[in-house]
Structure formats: C-alpha cells, structure tokens
Amino acid sequence: MKSYFVYIMSSQRRVLYIGLTSKLEHRTHQHKTHAFEGFTAKYNVTSLVYYERYDNIHKAIAREKELKGWLRMKKIELVETTNPKWKDLSSAWTQPRATKIA
C-alpha cells in the first residue's frame, strides 16, 4: 500500500512551507539541498517540523489544502502540538551512520 505525506518545512526564522509527497525522505533531501529554485530555496526552508501520513491520496490532498488555508498562528500551534522545540524531524535521515569498530 502506498503512503502519502502532508508535511510542513520551516526555516530558522520560521518561514513555513506545506507540501505533499509520497517519498518524504527524498523530498526533504531536495528541500535541504535546494534541488529546485523557488520559495523554499529563496527562504532557506530546510527543516522538517511536522508531517502526517495517509494511505489515500484524495484525503492527503484535502488535508494539504486545508492546512494551506489556515492562518499562520494555527499552523504554528499544529507544529507545536507534536514538536514544541521545532526540531528537524529529518536530521537523523541525513546524518552519517556510525560504524562499529571491533
């Protein structure tokens, strides 16, 4: 079964971006490396601060549209319900893995 993710990225200054993808790790990497010119590259929006997983693309699209329609303060409250310190939830995905030396 395929999964879809509605996600919120943030810059250090808390500029927010809401998106939808089926490959969250890959898409987050694209944001971090500024793979595409545009809003997230211009404002250095590189931290994954919130995401939701869906099995139904139509529900994911509806949720993305819903979040994009919210006022900024409501989006901030949503992030802070699960991530009060605004940690980058994808930081472990891009860190080099430690190797065990015997």
Side-chain angles (χ1 to χ4, degrees):
M1 185 180 296
K2 193 163 187 173
S3 293
Y4 305 92
F5 300 89
V6 176
Y7 63 94
I8 301 177
M9 301 287 295
S10 177
S11 70
Q12 286 186 341
R13 298 179 130 200
R14 294 197 178 166
V15 173
L16 302 177
Y17 174 83
I18 296 173
L20 171 67
T21 186
S22 62
K23 297 178 181 178
L24 186 59
E25 190 171 339
H26 178 71
R27 186 69 179 113
T28 301
H29 178 73
Q30 290 174 321
H31 286 296
K32 289 180 178 302
T33 60
H34 305 296
F36 304 106
E37 292 182 21
F39 181 86
T40 58
K42 179 178 180 180
Y43 294 101
N44 201 30
V45 179
T46 59
S47 294
L48 177 67
V49 293
Y50 180 85
Y51 65 92
E52 298 173 358
R53 183 179 164 265
Y54 292 86
D55 295 328
N56 181 297
I57 187 62
H58 302 291
K59 289 181 181 179
I61 291 168
R63 180 61 167 167
E64 179 193 27
K65 288 180 181 181
E66 177 186 14
L67 294 182
K68 286 184 173 185
W70 285 5
L71 295 174
R72 177 178 169 73
M73 193 62 217
K74 192 170 179 181
K75 295 172 191 176
I76 289 170
E77 289 171 2
L78 178 64
V79 170
E80 291 181 346
T81 60
T82 58
N83 190 0
K85 294 187 179 181
W86 292 72
K87 291 183 180 180
D88 183 356
L89 303 175
S90 68
S91 62
W93 301 343
T94 58
Q95 297 297 321
R97 295 209 158 71
T99 55
K100 201 177 210 181
I101 300 174

